Amino acid sequence: MPRSHGADIDGLIQLLSRLPGLGPRSAKRAALQMLKKKDSVMVPLARAMADVAERVVTCGTCGNIDTHDPCHVCADARRDRATICVVEDVADLWALDRSESFRGLYHVLGGTLSALDGVGPEDLNIAGLLARVDVGGVSEVILALNATVDGQTTSHYLAERLKASGVKVTALAHGVPVGGELDYLDDGTLAAALRARGSVG
Amino acid sequence: MPRSHGADIDGLIQLLSRLPGLGPRSAKRAALQMLKKKDSVMVPLARAMADVAERVVTCGTCGNIDTHDPCHVCADARRDRATICVVEDVADLWALDRSESFRGLYHVLGGTLSALDGVGPEDLNIAGLLARVDVGGVSEVILALNATVDGQTTSHYLAERLKASGVKVTALAHGVPVGGELDYLDDGTLAAALRARGSVG
């Protein structure tokens, strides 16, 4: 094996390449960039990571990842506490919140039901959701699960479980993505967009 | 601004997005992955970074970045000390060494001559190269600079400066990249490959 750098730098590259979006080559580039900008990138990043790692917690209410419990979303007094948006993963929570189109609270399931992977209702944070609804004050639960088979199965299951509580249960609309070209869309999306068509003008 | 996570996590994402290959979105994904795999990714990575940052040095001989001076290349007794390969950047050194096709020593210039950017010979590590050749024991200097205008200008300049020492000066061959399709190659490369054609069989 060629050794153009030491075992320490090799170890650093190996660890970096475990991050999503970085392969072995880009991890090498990232490592080199860090080594060159030691004081402006490497040292602050190492410090931020060690600092955050020490204080990271999962929000006991919604399942968001944050350095505080309750998390920034649950603690935000300006948010609408009557609406809970159910997502599969923290990444979905962050994506929805980035869009600034929802000002209610979230609930992270931690996955979807999956017969294939042996994921049952008890493996997801469904009890926590039902408990939050049972406490009262919630008027609507928005199911924002992925439009996959497992996601939709989970949506149906949740809608069934929430029926008893009498809360309004809605789901994200299917349709043409903004900026999307019809020619490149699958038949299912086109059919859904046609079914859900609205009047114009 | 939406606050789905705290200022600490935001700061971490900002720092991550400064790495090459990571935009704001992939930095977010990387941060989330780290937060989820705190003990297997985040903590070891933070430790490796802090550790390497503390000990990183530039090799006084060749300009490589390493945790030792002389670096692993210069310290490797099995390497051919009669051949020096001149590269623009440490990234090029690592790339050449990864190919395992060169077993000599390197010399990092730290850039190329550039009238536009005001980079003159005194801004590059040219004096160091001449000194290494003057010490003796070097039979060949391979110029492995990028095939850009600035890279080639620098190559010519170096060849001129090295003439007095009597050392053999060579440069990387131009030609068709292995696996490359002629149809997608530029005219300059095709012309160079034709000029440098070799007999077969």
Side-chain angles (χ1 to χ4, degrees):
Chain A
M1 205 195 100
R3 290 289 290 272
S4 50
H5 37 72
D8 322 291
I9 295 181
D10 253 349
L12 176 65
I13 294 170
Q14 285 249 328
L15 283 166
L16 277 173
S17 68
R18 288 202 211 153
L19 296 180
L22 285 179
R25 278 198 186 207
S26 42
K28 215 167 225 185
R29 257 201 306 275
L32 197 54
Q33 168 94 337
M34 288 203 298
L35 291 167
K36 284 181 178 172
K37 301 192 175 176
K38 198 181 72 176
D39 294 321
S40 69
V41 176
M42 196 166 192
V43 173
L45 185 53
R47 204 170 296 146
M49 279 166 55
D51 181 49
V52 170
E54 203 168 281
R55 299 190 291 126
V56 65
V57 284
T58 301
C59 175
T61 309
C62 73
N64 189 12
I65 291 180
D66 204 343
T67 47
H68 296 80
D69 180 14
C71 72
H72 272 77
V73 177
C74 291
D76 189 342
R78 292 161 305 174
R79 285 187 177 256
D80 168 20
R81 313 206 144 252
T83 321
I84 295 180
C85 181
V86 180
V87 291
E88 285 178 27
D89 194 273
V90 176
D92 302 328
L93 190 164
W94 287 11
L96 273 168
D97 224 54
R98 191 186 54 220
S99 76
E100 301 195 42
S101 44
F102 178 68
R103 300 298 292 161
L105 302 181
Y106 293 92
H107 190 85
V108 179
L109 280 185
T112 52
L113 298 175
S114 169
L116 214 65
D117 299 329
V119 181
E122 65 289 344
D123 299 315
L124 304 176
N125 190 11
I126 293 178
L129 174 65
L130 296 175
R132 287 176 77 184
V133 172
D134 279 346
V135 166
V138 177
S139 61
E140 181 178 0
V141 172
I142 304 173
L143 302 174
L145 306 188
N146 288 334
T148 56
V149 172
D150 282 344
Q152 296 307 297
T153 308
T154 311
S155 275
H156 283 124
Y157 177 83
L158 288 177
E160 203 58 46
R161 289 289 298 270
L162 287 163
K163 215 175 238 174
S165 68
V167 76
K168 184 177 168 192
V169 180
T170 56
L172 292 188
H174 291 301
V176 181
V178 175
E181 296 183 45
L182 295 194
D183 199 17
Y184 292 94
L185 283 176
D186 62 295
D187 296 348
T189 303
L190 283 176
L194 256 177
R195 273 199 306 275
R197 68 189 177 278
S199 59
V200 178
Chain B
M1 204 195 101
R3 288 291 289 270
S4 50
H5 38 73
D8 322 291
I9 295 181
D10 252 349
L12 176 64
I13 294 170
Q14 286 248 328
L15 283 166
L16 277 173
S17 68
R18 288 201 213 153
L19 296 180
L22 286 178
R25 278 198 185 205
S26 42
K28 216 167 223 182
R29 259 200 306 275
L32 197 53
Q33 168 96 336
M34 288 204 296
L35 291 166
K36 283 180 179 173
K37 302 194 175 175
K38 198 180 73 176
D39 294 321
S40 68
V41 176
M42 198 167 191
V43 174
L45 185 53
R47 203 169 297 145
M49 279 166 56
D51 182 47
V52 169
E54 203 169 281
R55 297 189 293 126
V56 66
V57 283
T58 301
C59 175
T61 310
C62 74
N64 189 11
I65 290 180
D66 203 341
T67 46
H68 296 81
D69 181 11
C71 72
H72 272 76
V73 177
C74 290
D76 189 341
R78 293 162 304 174
R79 284 185 178 257
D80 168 20
R81 310 201 149 256
T83 321
I84 295 180
C85 181
V86 181
V87 292
E88 285 179 27
D89 194 273
V90 177
D92 302 328
L93 190 163
W94 289 11
L96 273 168
D97 223 53
R98 190 186 55 221
S99 76
E100 300 195 41
S101 45
F102 178 67
R103 300 297 293 160
L105 302 181
Y106 293 92
H107 191 85
V108 180
L109 281 185
T112 52
L113 298 175
S114 170
L116 214 65
D117 299 330
V119 181
E122 65 289 344
D123 299 316
L124 305 176
N125 190 11
I126 293 178
L129 174 64
L130 297 174
R132 287 175 76 184
V133 171
D134 279 344
V135 166
V138 178
S139 61
E140 182 179 358
V141 172
I142 304 173
L143 302 174
L145 306 189
N146 288 334
T148 56
V149 171
D150 282 343
Q152 297 307 299
T153 308
T154 311
S155 276
H156 283 124
Y157 178 82
L158 287 177
E160 201 59 47
R161 288 290 297 270
L162 286 164
K163 215 176 236 172
S165 69
V167 75
K168 183 177 165 192
V169 180
T170 58
L172 292 188
H174 290 302
V176 182
V178 175
E181 295 183 47
L182 295 193
D183 198 16
Y184 292 93
L185 282 176
D186 63 294
D187 296 348
T189 304
L190 283 176
L194 257 177
R195 272 198 307 273
R197 68 189 177 277
S199 59
V200 178

